[in-house]
Amino acid sequence: MHPMSTTEIFLIAMAIIFTVPYLIWRLCRTDYFAPLVVVQIITGILLGPGILGKIFPEYYAFVFSPAVVQMLSGVAWWAVMLFVWIAGIELDLKKAWEHRVESGITAGLALSVPLLFGCVVAAGMLMFDGWIGAKARSWQFVAGVGMASAVTALPILILLMEKLEILRQPIGQRILRYASIDDVAIWGVLALILMDWHRIGQQVIFLLAFMGFAYALRKLMGAIPQRDRWYVGLIWLAVAAFGADWSGLHFMVGAFLAGVVMDADWFDQQDMDKLRHNVLLVMMPVFFLSTGLRTNWNVGGAAVFLAAGALLVASVSGKLFGIQLAGKILKWAPGEASIIGWLLQTKALIMIIFVNILLDKGLITSETFTALLLMAVASTMLTIPIVLPKLKLLSSVVFRPK
């Protein structure tokens, strides 16, 4: 019997990636508290080196050899670039501007309070070895972990609100406005954290070139048929991501910027929804497994779980406190702030992408990455079980125009 080729082992890995989480999700009926994407993330952690890799090291070395991991990483990079690009396109900042006072107050408090709470926990983590990355300055570590605690996962938020049947309701549209503003702020802070002063010239060149190309792109998109816009958009995505990575920023920053300067009404909304769904279905599971392969427990499982718990408390309490404060300022109905706060604390996906970038740049260690990943999973799993009963009690608030 001939030894298996890298291609054959790669296909075994792909079969595992799609089979295991699907069976867990379907047979255990986890959808109420853990949507399929959350199960995929958890499965990635279980299949990673810290758990199943330690129990069955021969399996791990065989299936996830360096060559296979490299192939999986390429698929994962393109998948998450597409996902971030779509998220950027779908940001509707026009509606946020129409309601700028209410949106600004709410989004500002929803971001700043958990950011502050997360920074406090990150400062505490600095007192112990094993958490800060080799290339990080203290402020970068604190700001990065703090922002990870403040992130709202806009794409997952959309999926959860669809499940709760409030996405097209007044409260759902308001929540999208708040999350959209915070999404822009998150990527802006990330760009600041990643600013490489030794390569500032390249970064200035990239930003100037990006603005010029973005202007030309907007002119071109208005002049070509809709069927051609998808191809042009994908070329633009690759070019912008390359430019950002070349300049010392991360290719994900370029992918997000590439989407932000594009208008959603250039594309058919149904086609956009199908593309997002298909990327989640066909490609993102590879990213989730690749994420799980990067987890590490070397500082000790108890320490990682303790850090994850502290970050979860900071993230959830900070988001709820900030939204409650916004509700008092804006005189919302009783119970309204609680629903909005619990939905906005949803973390998975965008936060995981965010901390992957921090890990790539050496600003956090694999142990910090693991703690943040556990926090993101727990945060997302809390959302539906807590929000659904609140919605049933406050249906008049949910469907009331604002």
Side-chain angles (χ1 to χ4, degrees):
M1 185 174 178
H2 74 281
M4 284 196 182
S5 66
T6 301
T7 303
E8 291 167 338
I9 300 172
F10 170 78
L11 293 174
I12 290 173
M14 291 293 285
I16 292 171
I17 289 168
F18 284 94
T19 303
V20 176
Y22 173 75
L23 289 177
I24 294 171
W25 174 70
R26 179 54 69 197
L27 297 178
C28 298
R29 300 180 180 180
T30 68
D31 212 33
Y32 178 70
F33 58 90
L36 180 57
V37 292
V38 173
V39 177
Q40 289 167 336
I41 296 166
I42 296 171
T43 305
I45 297 172
L46 295 175
L47 293 175
I51 299 179
L52 205 57
K54 280 194 173 179
I55 301 172
F56 302 108
E58 295 83 7
Y59 132 81
Y60 186 82
F62 172 72
V63 177
F64 298 111
S65 64
V68 171
V69 169
Q70 188 174 16
M71 295 169 72
L72 291 173
S73 295
V75 176
W77 290 344
W78 184 244
V80 77
M81 283 169 61
L82 283 169
F83 200 82
V84 170
W85 177 64
I86 294 167
I89 294 173
E90 292 187 322
L91 285 180
D92 192 348
L93 298 179
K94 293 177 183 176
K95 285 186 178 178
W97 180 251
E98 290 174 8
H99 303 270
R100 52 189 173 276
V101 174
E102 180 223 357
S103 297
I105 290 171
T106 307
L109 290 169
L111 190 70
S112 60
V113 179
L115 169 62
L116 177 62
F117 286 16
C119 286
V120 171
V121 175
M125 294 169 71
L126 280 177
M127 299 170 65
F128 303 92
D129 294 333
W131 302 108
I132 185 170
K135 297 181 180 179
R137 297 187 176 117
S138 296
W139 75 267
Q140 289 175 306
F141 175 80
V142 170
V145 173
M147 185 53 76
S149 301
V151 167
T152 294
L154 183 59
I156 294 300
L157 179 63
I158 291 172
L159 294 177
L160 295 181
M161 289 200 295
E162 283 179 340
K163 185 185 296 292
L164 294 167
E165 299 181 349
I166 61 169
L167 179 60
R168 304 303 174 192
Q169 299 302 327
I171 195 170
Q173 294 301 297
R174 287 168 55 203
I175 292 169
L176 284 183
R177 291 201 308 268
Y178 310 148
S180 296
I181 295 174
D182 283 349
D183 223 18
V184 174
I186 288 160
W187 290 99
V189 169
L190 178 63
L192 180 63
I193 292 171
L194 298 180
M195 188 69 70
D196 185 345
W197 299 106
H198 297 291
R199 300 168 72 179
I200 190 68
Q202 287 177 244
Q203 290 167 355
V204 170
I205 291 170
F206 163 70
L207 291 173
L208 292 174
F210 179 84
M211 289 188 286
F213 279 110
Y215 178 80
L217 174 82
R218 293 185 63 81
K219 292 290 186 183
L220 176 63
M221 285 297 208
I224 60 177
Q226 189 178 102
R227 66 178 180 274
D228 293 331
R229 291 174 185 167
W230 290 107
Y231 294 98
V232 173
L234 291 171
I235 295 168
W236 167 240
L237 165 62
V239 170
F242 168 79
D245 215 60
W246 167 83
S247 72
L249 298 173
H250 197 275
F251 59 84
M252 289 305 162
V253 175
F256 180 74
L257 291 175
V260 166
V261 299
M262 300 177 72
D263 292 344
D265 56 15
W266 289 344
F267 307 97
D268 181 81
Q269 185 60 53
Q270 288 187 335
D271 289 343
M272 184 66 74
D273 291 342
K274 287 178 183 176
L275 177 60
R276 183 179 63 250
H277 171 77
N278 288 332
V279 170
L280 269 173
L281 174 69
V282 176
M283 301 180 73
M284 285 301 285
V286 181
F287 169 71
F288 296 139
L289 180 110
S290 298
T291 296
L293 297 183
R294 310 182 79 177
T295 54
N296 199 311
W297 310 81
N298 285 344
V299 299
V304 170
F305 278 105
L306 185 62
L311 289 165
L312 179 64
V313 171
S315 171
V316 175
S317 62
K319 191 72 75 174
L320 293 177
F321 183 78
I323 295 296
Q324 288 289 346
L325 187 55
K328 289 185 181 299
I329 294 170
L330 298 168
K331 298 180 172 55
W332 291 348
E336 197 170 0
S338 181
I339 292 173
I340 294 172
W342 276 105
L343 284 166
L344 287 177
Q345 65 81 42
T346 301
K347 287 283 178 294
L349 265 192
I350 293 299
M351 193 277 238
I352 293 171
I353 294 167
F354 184 90
V355 295
N356 263 282
I357 296 171
L358 298 181
L359 184 61
D360 283 342
K361 292 295 183 179
L363 302 183
I364 60 174
T365 62
S366 295
E367 289 81 4
T368 304
F369 175 82
T370 304
L372 287 165
L373 189 61
L374 292 173
M375 181 265 274
V377 169
S379 163
T380 307
M381 290 177 68
L382 287 170
T383 305
I384 294 290
I386 291 178
V387 171
L388 187 58
K390 291 178 180 291
L391 286 174
K392 291 178 179 177
L393 289 173
L394 298 169
S395 59
S396 60
V397 170
V398 172
F399 295 98
R400 174 172 54 84
K402 188 78 175 179

